Amino acid sequence: MHAKHYIVPDLQLRQGVPTEHLAWIGEDIVRRKPDVIVQIGDWGDFPSLSSHDAPGSIGKEGARYEDDLEALCQGVELLTAPITAELDRIKRRKLARWKPRMIFTEGNHEYRIVRAINADPRFAGTIGPHHVQAAVERHGWEYHPFLKVVEADGIHYCLAPDHKVLTADLRHVRLGDVSVGDEIRNEPVPFGRIFLRLVQHLAGFFIGGFHP
């Protein structure tokens, strides 16, 4: 029997955005009972650290790292709560075992924290990726740093927005210039936001944001 994977795309949570859909996602996961759950990255938005808006600009007005982190923590709890409740129910009633592997691959929005520290080392120790790691691991998710490729049942996952594809004739081409079915090398190949290890032909899909 093939393993079932459930992929949750970018959520990009921040203060003030609707979050009702997070519980719906969790409930749908419980209904489908996949073997692997992957939140592919950008669980949080972290607008306070966005490089698109200059410090002191209108876009940064009122933005706080603490608020961004709290939005992430609340989002992880809301989405995971139905899963945790179901696992507790199964254990309590000694029902058929379901213990999904839950994977979080850090996205470029969470990586804004590292970029901010690199740009201004005074932030070191005050902010850090360990806050994101703690938020997801507290609820049973594996934490994997930005651009680290994670394997599950032969599928390689990573949020890699800027990667290119290595084709069979050893050319690196932009993702937008590649079509499903193109020949590739037998090695981990980035496609959209998911890495797939394939033998001969490119087969994959693009996934976008999952937020209102």
Side-chain angles (χ1 to χ4, degrees), residues 129-198:
H130 60 284
H131 290 148
V132 176
Q133 181 174 0
V136 297
E137 289 184 345
R138 186 180 302 119
H139 295 281
W141 294 81
E142 300 174 14
Y143 167 83
H144 298 278
F146 184 51
L147 296 184
K148 178 184 177 183
V149 181
V150 185
E151 186 273 336
D153 300 314
I155 300 177
H156 293 71
Y157 291 100
C158 179
L159 192 153
D162 300 321
H163 277 69
K164 297 181 180 180
V165 169
L166 182 63
T167 62
D169 57 357
L170 304 182
R171 290 182 302 110
H172 280 86
V173 297
R174 293 188 309 108
L175 227 56
D177 296 333
V178 179
S179 301
V180 172
D182 285 352
E183 291 189 356
I184 57 172
R185 288 174 56 83
N186 182 21
E187 58 184 72
V189 175
F191 186 81
R193 293 175 179 266
I194 300 177
F195 273 73
L196 303 176
R197 181 182 291 275
L198 303 167

Side-chain angles (χ1 to χ4, degrees), residues 35-146:
D35 303 289
V36 179
I37 308 165
V38 181
Q39 203 293 307
I40 203 66
D42 289 357
W43 204 320
D45 188 12
F46 289 91
S48 66
L49 302 178
S50 173
S51 60
H52 300 297
D53 298 308
S57 64
I58 293 178
K60 284 285 182 68
E61 186 174 356
R64 298 289 183 273
Y65 174 79
E66 293 82 359
D67 293 338
D68 294 344
L69 186 62
E70 180 62 21
L72 169 69
C73 292
Q74 290 179 355
V76 175
E77 183 174 0
L78 286 170
L79 191 152
T80 312
I83 302 170
T84 302
E86 177 65 5
L87 293 174
D88 289 343
R89 186 185 74 88
I90 288 173
K91 182 178 180 180
R92 187 170 59 252
R93 298 189 179 184
K94 299 180 180 180
L95 302 175
R97 186 176 182 272
W98 177 55
K99 183 63 175 176
R101 180 183 178 188
M102 301 195 300
I103 298 170
F104 168 72
T105 63
E106 188 176 59
N108 55 297
H109 279 250
E110 288 89 12
Y111 195 69
R112 286 175 172 176
I113 299 172
V114 176
R115 289 197 177 104
I117 295 172
N118 291 338
D120 190 343
R122 290 177 298 177
F123 286 129
T126 303
I127 67 176
H130 60 284
H131 290 148
V132 176
Q133 181 174 0
V136 297
E137 289 184 345
R138 186 180 302 119
H139 295 281
W141 294 81
E142 300 174 14
Y143 167 83
H144 298 278
F146 184 51

